[in-house]
């Protein structure tokens, strides 16, 4: 045991070499319970990989996913709550960010149009907020004011359709939405219909309209969950929740068209999909050379190398996530540290990244908080 601990410490020291001396605030979206009261914040010393113990940044119910404005001044969260037991109770919240202390100050809240908003992102250089809701398969587009608050108006869109799995895909289930790198389109992953929906973003009135090619599909019964673009914007990687696979698409930013390239297993070779296994998060390394995906039930992180010319993924490694049900994943902006949000073990585990091979090494460092889900970084002041 002592030898193993020494190895972990030495490995972390090796990976810390040549890391920029920067500090980042690390925000965690959570499901609130006896151990969690809202959004938590930790502080990362990027040179050493040391994270401070997380503290409550803002009290808010079930802030499952969070995202920051491009300038880092504002943070937005989606909150799945059922105050009255009716649709429409879910909220999106806007906060100002104190980048010295990490504390968040609530600016305002708006209805998400459902009780289960599950993703929020910022588009149009911080002028538009995008929201996806799982329960009714809706997406919402809202204007953002100059002071960071959420404005009125925008658009609300309900997807229709279903997939082949009667238990999971009886109707649409929007799980993710983000703007493409050009900022002209919004892409939504819908688990219930096996589709990636494509919308045009209309910044003048903060609305979404269906693209001329309104969607593409992942293999039937796969359950599209989350998406990450390659660093050059030429490819999009979709993690499929139900099939535990990753589908690669070529992206045409001129016309807003996704063309399938391949679908590969997210589980390591030789491991079969089980009902208890579900894909969760997918991220691209800052260098663009590697892709990371979390697997719940199997409770692990898979690492792939990415071919920049073809988009093809090659399996590199699979490691234990350091906890149970790794729902979320974060990579610090320097590309040297990866953190998993382990929802069912109430902890976030830290890994060192070998930036040449993409491989992960557990540092042995774990942060305790209730049901962490999402992980986002912003440079501290």
């Amino acid at each position: 045991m002592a030898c193993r601990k020494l190895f972990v410490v030495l490995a972390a020291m090796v990976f810390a070499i040549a890391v920029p001396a920067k500090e980042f605030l690390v925000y965690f979206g959570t499901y609130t319970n006896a151990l969690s009261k809202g959004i938590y914040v930790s502080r990362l010393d990027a040179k050493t990989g040391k994270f401070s113990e997380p503290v409550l940044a803002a009290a808010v119910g079930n802030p499952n996913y969070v995202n920051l404005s491009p300038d880092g001044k504002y943070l937005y969260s989606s909150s799945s709550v059922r105050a009255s037991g009716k649709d429409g109770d879910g909220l999106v919240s806007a906060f100002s960010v104190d980048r010295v202390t990490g504390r968040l100050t609530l600016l305002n809240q708006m209805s998400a149009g459902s009780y289960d908003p599950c993703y929020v992102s910022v588009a149009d250089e911080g002028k538009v907020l995008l929201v996806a809701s799982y329960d009714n398969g809706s997406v919402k587009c809202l204007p953002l004011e100059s002071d960071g608050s959420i404005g009125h108006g925008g658009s609300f869109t309900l997807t229709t359709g279903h997939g082949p799995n009667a238990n999971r895909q009886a109707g649409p289930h929007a799980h993710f939405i983000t703007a493409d790198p050009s900022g002209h389109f919004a892409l939504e992953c819908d688990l219930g219909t096996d589709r990636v929906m494509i919308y045009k973003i209309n910044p003048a009135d903060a609305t979404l309209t269906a693209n001329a090619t309104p969607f593409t599909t992942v293999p039937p019964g796969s359950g599209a969950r989350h998406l990450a673009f390659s660093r050059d914007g030429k490819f999009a990687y979709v993690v499929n929740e139900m099939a535990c696979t990753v589908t690669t698409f070529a992206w045409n930013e001129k016309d807003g068209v996704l063309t399938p390239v391949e679908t590969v297993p997210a589980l390591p070779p030789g491991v079969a999909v089980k009902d208890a296994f579900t894909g969760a998060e997918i991220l691209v390394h800052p260098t663009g050379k590697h892709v990371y995906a979390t697997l719940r039930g199997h409770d692990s992180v898979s690492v792939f190398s990415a071919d920049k010319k073809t988009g093809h993924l090659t399996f590199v490694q699979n490691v234990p996530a350091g906890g149970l049900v790794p729902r979320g994943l974060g990579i610090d902006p320097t590309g040297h540290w990866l953190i998993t949000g382990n929802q069912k073990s109430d902890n976030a585990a830290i890994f060192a990244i070998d930036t040449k091979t993409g491989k992960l090494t557990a540092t042995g460092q774990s942060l305790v908080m209730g049901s962490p889900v999402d992980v986002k970084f912003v440079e501290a002041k």
Side-chain angles (χ1 to χ4, degrees), residues 17-100:
I17 294 174
V19 181
K22 289 185 177 181
E23 289 193 342
F24 296 92
L25 297 173
V26 191
Y27 287 99
F28 297 89
T30 72
Y31 280 106
T32 49
N33 53 29
L35 298 177
S36 172
K37 303 302 178 186
I39 301 170
Y40 284 76
V41 64
S42 172
R43 200 175 188 93
L44 165 65
D45 181 335
K47 188 165 185 64
T48 64
K50 178 65 177 177
F51 288 72
S52 67
E53 288 302 314
V55 297
L56 185 64
V60 60
N62 288 341
N64 45 34
Y65 275 85
V66 300
N67 241 313
L68 289 135
S69 61
D71 58 13
K73 292 182 178 179
Y74 308 107
L75 181 144
Y76 302 91
S77 71
S78 54
S79 291
S80 55
V81 292
R82 296 190 186 186
S84 65
K86 298 179 181 179
D87 286 1
D89 293 332
L91 298 172
V92 286
S93 304
F95 302 87
S96 62
V97 178
D98 185 328
R99 289 171 64 181
V100 176

Side-chain angles (χ1 to χ4, degrees), residues 2 7 16 18 31 34 43 83 142 147 193 266 277 328 369:
F7 170 78
Y31 280 106
R43 200 175 188 93
L142 290 160
D147 64 356
T193 63
F277 294 172
M369 74 194 83

Side-chain angles (χ1 to χ4, degrees), residues 119 176 189 225-229 236-240 245-248 266 279-284 291-294 302 304 313 327-329 331:
Y119 201 85
F176 173 92
C189 292
R225 180 182 171 92
H226 279 200
L227 177 152
F229 278 99
Y237 302 100
V238 175
V239 64
N240 299 308
T245 56
V246 177
T247 299
T248 301
E281 184 62 281
I282 189 163
L283 291 180
V284 175
V291 174
Y292 299 83
T294 56
S302 284
F304 302 88
L313 297 181
R327 189 180 180 101
L329 183 67
I331 299 174

Side-chain angles (χ1 to χ4, degrees), residues 189-269:
C189 292
D190 192 287
L191 180 146
T193 63
D194 292 320
R195 292 173 176 174
V196 181
M197 310 298 296
I198 305 166
Y199 303 93
K200 289 182 179 179
I201 300 175
N202 309 307
D205 55 1
T207 60
L208 301 178
T209 55
N211 189 38
T213 302
F215 64 86
T216 190
T217 59
V218 297
S222 294
R225 180 182 171 92
H226 279 200
L227 177 152
F229 278 99
S230 61
R231 293 305 170 192
D232 60 9
K234 293 181 179 179
F235 300 98
Y237 302 100
V238 175
V239 64
N240 299 308
E241 176 173 328
M242 297 159 58
C244 292
T245 56
V246 177
T247 299
T248 301
F249 294 94
W251 173 242
N252 179 337
E253 71 172 25
K254 179 182 178 182
D255 301 317
V257 175
L258 290 168
T259 302
V261 174
E262 66 173 356
T263 296
V264 300
L267 288 161

